[in-house]
Amino acid sequence: MTIIQTPDPEDATGDVAEIYAKDQRDLGYVAEYTRVMAFNPEAYRAWEQLVRAIIAQLGVRRFELVTLAAAQGTRSQHCRLAHGRKSLAVMDADDVEAVARDFHDAGLSEAEVAMMEYAERISTDAASMTEADSLRLRELGFTDREIVDITLAAAARNYFSRAIQALGVAVEVPPDLGDSLRDALLAPL
């Protein structure tokens, strides 16, 4: 449990109230990670702008696949749950569950698997990466812009995941996830 004392939704004002209201509209509740990160609303808004800029070029499906792989690499149950749920906008629950259990055996294209391996590696061992890692993506048809955006998406997930982990934010299970999908997203990483 985090030590950060955040305002309750009914007591929030200004930018924090707006950030909370977005979660309320999108999720039906205000997530604990939102409450903590909205403590600095300027940074939270900058974070959201960065994510929108990446998604605008990469697309939602690729962004969510990269995010799930990066969250796996950081062992972030918070982000696996949140983005497993968000992935349902572009994939059906069985496909998201298969990705969560083992993206290598989830019926993804070779390019998508390579993209996810790259994102996971950024989250586990970026210091040892070389141009060979990026060249593999290029060989599979990714443009330089897409390689940069994949990298930015994984690095951005690392920022957010590590911040909420370090701040001791409680892991919340979105109430609208099915049991099987929830279990796959919470499986030991």
Side-chain angles (χ1 to χ4, degrees), residues 38-83:
F39 208 86
N40 180 337
E42 298 83 10
Y44 191 85
R45 295 238 191 249
W47 155 256
E48 287 181 320
Q49 181 59 35
L50 173 63
V51 169
R52 281 192 299 274
I54 295 167
I55 291 172
Q57 296 300 313
L58 196 56
V60 174
R61 179 183 167 90
R62 283 183 174 175
F63 177 82
E64 293 302 339
L65 290 173
V66 167
T67 296
L68 286 169
Q72 180 172 316
T74 62
R75 290 187 239 131
S76 174
Q77 290 182 322
H78 306 86
C79 295
R80 282 179 49 93
L81 286 164
H83 287 276

Side-chain angles (χ1 to χ4, degrees), residues 42-43 58 83 85 113 149 178 189:
E42 298 83 10
L58 196 56
H83 287 276
R85 181 183 182 276
V113 169
D149 286 335
L189 305 171

Side-chain angles (χ1 to χ4, degrees), residues 91-107:
M91 300 169 66
D92 68 36
D94 290 339
D95 290 340
V96 176
E97 182 179 336
V99 168
R101 291 199 186 281
D102 182 358
F103 66 84
H104 296 94
D105 190 31

Side-chain angles (χ1 to χ4, degrees), residues 102-139:
D102 182 358
F103 66 84
H104 296 94
D105 190 31
L108 300 175
S109 70
E110 182 181 3
E112 288 173 325
V113 169
M115 174 184 74
M116 291 184 76
E117 288 173 341
Y118 179 88
E120 186 176 21
R121 183 135 186 241
I122 288 169
S123 301
T124 59
D125 193 21
S128 71
M129 292 178 80
T130 67
E131 67 182 30
D133 296 289
S134 298
L135 283 173
R136 172 79 176 125
L137 296 180
R138 181 178 288 145
E139 289 167 359

Side-chain angles (χ1 to χ4, degrees), residues 2-3 7 14 17 46 61 78 86-87 104 106 134 142 144 152 184:
T2 186
I3 64 160
R61 179 183 167 90
H78 306 86
K86 288 183 179 190
S87 294
H104 296 94
S134 298
F142 290 101
D144 287 351
L152 290 173

